[in-house]
Amino acid sequence: AAFGTTPAEVTAALRDQYRQVDDISDDEMLDTMDEVLQLQSKTPGKVPLTLIVLDEMQQYINDDNDRALAVQVLYPTADTPIASATVATAQSAGWIWDIGLPTRRGVGYVYSSSHTGDDQAEQDLRRYLRNTMSEQQAESAQLRQLKFEPGHRESFWQKNCVAVGMSAGFIEPLEASALALVEMSAALIRDDMPADRSVMELTAQRFNQRFSYRWERIVDFLKLHYVLSQRRDSDYWRDHQDPATIPAGL
């Protein structure tokens, strides 16, 4: 049968063959990886030595800010000046980012669901938007909610799999510190790629030690922003001053 004779038929066939999947189990992922590697094997029943780098497979170990609302804001005119720095504005249960981009602004509210509800967070973000646009535009802006579990892996290199980027961890977008870890991870994998299985365990151990240290320093750095704040006007900010939540290094 023909794949399709019109763009609509082709689109429908592709959507049927490659259906949208929201989530898969660990077994389904491992089975799929095994099938792909079997195709590359010259020996039936065996797979070639492979280093697998995973991204956007989340497995986290702690919590704090765990929600975000994001919106794209068009400039009112083509010659509107572009802000040269990201503006971060504290709120009662988190903070709002405002980033100037070439054709629009990226605006969002990162907040803690244990300190405010989604409806209240939406109201807070729309109130912020009204500072730079009409009330009608602020109310009609299309917000997108993101949910995440902040933290990082205890082990980043496990056997022949290495977690890089979002699969390694995500704390929150403040300072975007994790971007540097992507480059560092890629550089270390490039420089220390094991020549054979005999040295892989040692390479993994060294990788895990280095990146556990780096993630802990990022946690310290992010927490420092909250520890130094003088705000005490909500439970969110008072909880951040609780000595039990402050890392020993601070």
Side-chain angles (χ1 to χ4, degrees), residues 197-212:
R197 189 182 297 275
S198 64
V199 296
M200 185 174 290
E201 183 176 349
L202 179 61
T203 302
Q205 182 180 9
R206 181 164 55 241
F207 187 96
N208 288 331
Q209 288 174 342
R210 291 184 182 181
F211 282 91
S212 290

Side-chain angles (χ1 to χ4, degrees), residues 164-165 177-186 211 214-215 218:
V164 176
S177 311
L179 292 176
L181 294 186
V182 174
E183 295 186 4
M184 293 178 183
S185 297
F211 282 91
R214 287 166 177 166
W215 273 103
I218 284 180

Side-chain angles (χ1 to χ4, degrees), residues 99-161:
I99 306 173
L101 301 171
T103 60
R104 59 181 173 81
R105 290 159 52 212
V107 182
Y109 181 15
V110 182
Y111 61 96
S112 166
S113 63
S114 62
H115 292 88
T116 190
D118 294 337
D119 291 342
Q120 182 61 52
E122 178 178 340
Q123 292 178 29
D124 292 342
L125 180 56
R126 293 192 188 280
R127 182 173 61 250
Y128 175 88
L129 293 175
R130 286 196 290 271
N131 293 327
T132 57
M133 61 176 63
S134 69
E135 183 169 352
Q136 180 179 2
Q137 290 174 320
E139 292 304 315
S140 62
Q142 297 296 311
L143 308 184
R144 183 165 64 101
Q145 186 185 61
L146 307 172
K147 297 181 180 181
F148 55 92
E149 299 178 63
H152 62 79
R153 287 182 179 271
E154 294 180 282
S155 179
F156 307 97
W157 190 317
Q158 182 70 22
K159 296 183 178 180
N160 66 326
C161 295

